[in-house]
Amino acid sequence: NAGVTQTPKFRVLKTGQSMTLLCAQDMNHEYMYWYRQDPGMGLRLIHYSVGEGTTAKGEVPDGYNVSRLKKQNFLLGLESAAPSQTSVYFCASSYPRTGGTEQYFGPGTRLTVT
Amino acid sequence: SQQGEEDPQALSIQEGENATMNCSYKTSINNLQWYRQNSGRGLVHLILIRSNEREKHSGRLRVTLDTSKKSSSLLITASRAADTASYFCAPPGGYNKLIFGAGTRLAVHP
């Protein structure tokens, strides 16, 4: 199993450009999440999904859109990139379980917006 | 919000010493998780402790949970250089969401 994979690993964008980050998981997990991590900080939740076709806002959703058309994929879109979106983006997945369950993280996408 | 707050922010020790990191949170929880992040990498799950557990062990890791004080601690015994990483506690939100604090940066020197 590959676990959670993210594409691309690195990207440089100019202000105003758009892009889509792809997250894929092969563990048949229901839940998927997108986080961003800025230097010296913890992860902040952008959007999440509790199943195919459903998405919800997290802590810092502004400037991002997401889609979950297939259970195994969760896409994060930046429609008009801004320098404030320079960050490392992590995707994670988990299965639903009362009482909590671990999240599995991808390796991250390092995005720079100039 | 319900994010975990780790203390200290940074910890520097020698190989073989023990490292203790603390976490505080604000509201009632049914579980709490700890994660490790090596520099520039994704997070790796270390341990999940449920609210009805006071202590849990995994290898050289020992986690405690005191729900009355809304606090948890992570102890790494006999530390190694490979334990150098950032450590995060994560109390839960709904739908298995995790709310991360800024973490504790641990440096273990040979």
Side-chain angles (χ1 to χ4, degrees):
Chain A
N1 287 353
V4 179
T5 58
Q6 293 183 231
T7 309
K9 289 184 170 54
F10 303 93
R11 186 72 186 269
V12 178
L13 286 180
K14 293 189 188 315
T15 298
Q17 288 184 321
S18 64
M19 78 164 295
T20 299
L21 283 67
L22 171 63
C23 175
Q25 52 95 4
D26 62 2
M27 296 172 282
N28 202 34
H29 285 167
E30 288 292 332
Y31 294 173
M32 296 187 75
Y33 315 83
W34 274 109
Y35 296 90
R36 62 176 287 174
Q37 185 178 32
D38 299 314
M41 297 181 66
L43 277 67
R44 291 184 292 169
L45 183 65
I46 305 172
H47 286 280
Y48 65 100
S49 169
V50 300
E52 184 178 317
T54 72
T55 63
K57 294 180 181 179
E59 185 184 359
V60 288
D62 294 342
Y64 305 95
N65 56 74
V66 288
S67 65
R68 182 102 180 266
L69 298 179
K70 293 183 180 180
K71 185 177 184 179
Q72 63 269 33
N73 296 337
F74 195 27
L75 278 62
L76 178 71
L78 286 73
E79 290 185 346
S80 180
S84 60
Q85 294 178 304
T86 293
S87 190
V88 182
Y89 292 84
F90 291 99
C91 175
S93 70
S94 73
Y95 62 87
R97 179 177 175 181
T98 302
T101 185
E102 67 179 282
Q103 291 187 12
Y104 294 80
F105 283 81
T109 293
R110 191 172 297 274
L111 175 66
T112 302
V113 183
T114 61
Chain B
S1 66
Q2 173 63 313
Q3 74 179 57
E5 294 184 8
E6 295 89 352
D7 175 66
Q9 291 184 345
L11 184 58
S12 181
I13 60 174
Q14 298 295 125
E15 261 191 334
E17 294 181 339
N18 295 342
T20 300
M21 289 157 265
N22 301 298
C23 168
S24 60
Y25 56 91
K26 293 180 180 174
T27 64
S28 296
I29 59 172
N30 58 10
N31 75 91
L32 185 136
Q33 300 184 43
W34 284 88
Y35 287 79
R36 183 188 76 231
Q37 183 180 34
N38 291 92
S39 180
R41 312 285 287 271
L43 275 69
V44 174
H45 179 261
L46 294 176
I47 202 162
L48 183 154
I49 186 166
R50 304 197 187 281
S51 57
N52 61 353
E53 299 173 306
R54 293 185 62 85
E55 188 172 307
K56 197 165 183 179
H57 295 253
S58 177
R60 293 184 295 110
L61 307 181
R62 180 173 75 100
V63 168
T64 63
L65 180 64
D66 186 335
T67 54
S68 66
K69 294 181 180 178
K70 293 185 171 58
S71 67
S72 175
S73 68
L74 170 66
L75 168 68
I76 303 174
T77 60
S79 63
R80 306 165 181 168
D83 294 326
T84 294
S86 291
Y87 292 82
F88 298 90
C89 71
Y95 297 107
N96 287 346
K97 289 183 292 183
L98 298 175
I99 313 298
F100 293 93
T104 293
R105 294 185 305 280
L106 173 65
V108 182
H109 302 283

